[in-house]
């Protein structure tokens, strides 16, 4: 069982930066791939990016590629989402999720709000 808690959201102007954190409790965090997702009002939850269990591999949605960076610190049981050059369309609730061996994202945090003003 893994429990995830996101933090670091807030209000930022377009062009600004934020870093989100996702702190995990429970065993075996370092064995899970981790993903970030977001959901804007009235829209479905979208994939943002993911990082492998070791941190060696990352993958991003086209909409954030080159602007967002995912990293992790397994010693701290934490995964990060660095967001640069933010745009109003990045406004959403951001969620982290743990990916179990089957590839399914089975554990989710409660989300943190990111609002980008124009």
């Amino acid at each position: 069982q893994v429990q995830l808690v996101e933090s670091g959201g807030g209000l930022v102007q377009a062009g600004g930066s934020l870093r989100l954190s996702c702190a995990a409790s429970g065993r075996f965090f370092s064995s899970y791939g981790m993903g970030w997702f977001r959901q804007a009002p009235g829209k479905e939850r979208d994939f943002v990016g993911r990082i492998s269990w070791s941190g060696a591999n990352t993958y991003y949605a086209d909409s954030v590629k080159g602007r967002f960076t995912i990293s992790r610190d397994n010693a701290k049981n934490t995964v990060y989402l660095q967001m640069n050059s933010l745009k109003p369309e990045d406004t959403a609730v951001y969620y982290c999720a743990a990916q179990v061996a089957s590839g399914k994202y089975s554990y989710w945090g409660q989300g943190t709000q990111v609002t980008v003003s124009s």
Side-chain angles (χ1 to χ4, degrees):
Q1 189 77 8
V2 176
Q3 295 177 329
L4 304 172
V5 178
E6 301 95 336
S7 62
L11 174 64
V12 63
Q13 289 188 332
S17 298
L18 279 176
R19 188 176 81 154
L20 306 184
S21 299
C22 173
S25 62
R27 301 175 65 187
F28 309 121
F29 169 78
S30 60
S31 64
Y32 293 121
M34 296 295 296
W36 283 96
F37 295 78
R38 65 186 182 185
Q39 187 167 20
K43 295 187 177 180
E44 295 186 351
R45 186 151 51 189
D46 289 333
F47 171 79
V48 172
R50 66 173 182 259
I51 188 167
S52 61
W53 65 271
S54 66
N57 297 297
T58 53
Y59 181 81
Y60 300 95
D62 287 344
S63 58
V64 306
K65 198 173 296 182
R67 300 188 298 123
F68 290 12
T69 302
I70 299 173
S71 61
R72 67 189 295 163
D73 185 340
N74 286 341
K76 295 182 178 180
N77 277 14
T78 303
V79 62
Y80 305 97
L81 178 65
Q82 177 67 45
M83 306 185 293
N84 298 328
S85 302
L86 283 161
K87 306 175 181 179
E89 51 263 44
D90 294 319
T91 294
V93 177
Y94 283 71
Y95 300 88
C96 65
Q99 187 179 33
V100 299
S102 65
K104 180 181 178 181
Y105 287 97
S106 294
Y107 304 104
W108 293 82
Q110 84 291 346
T112 186
Q113 175 71 46
V114 172
T115 303
V116 185
S117 63
S118 57

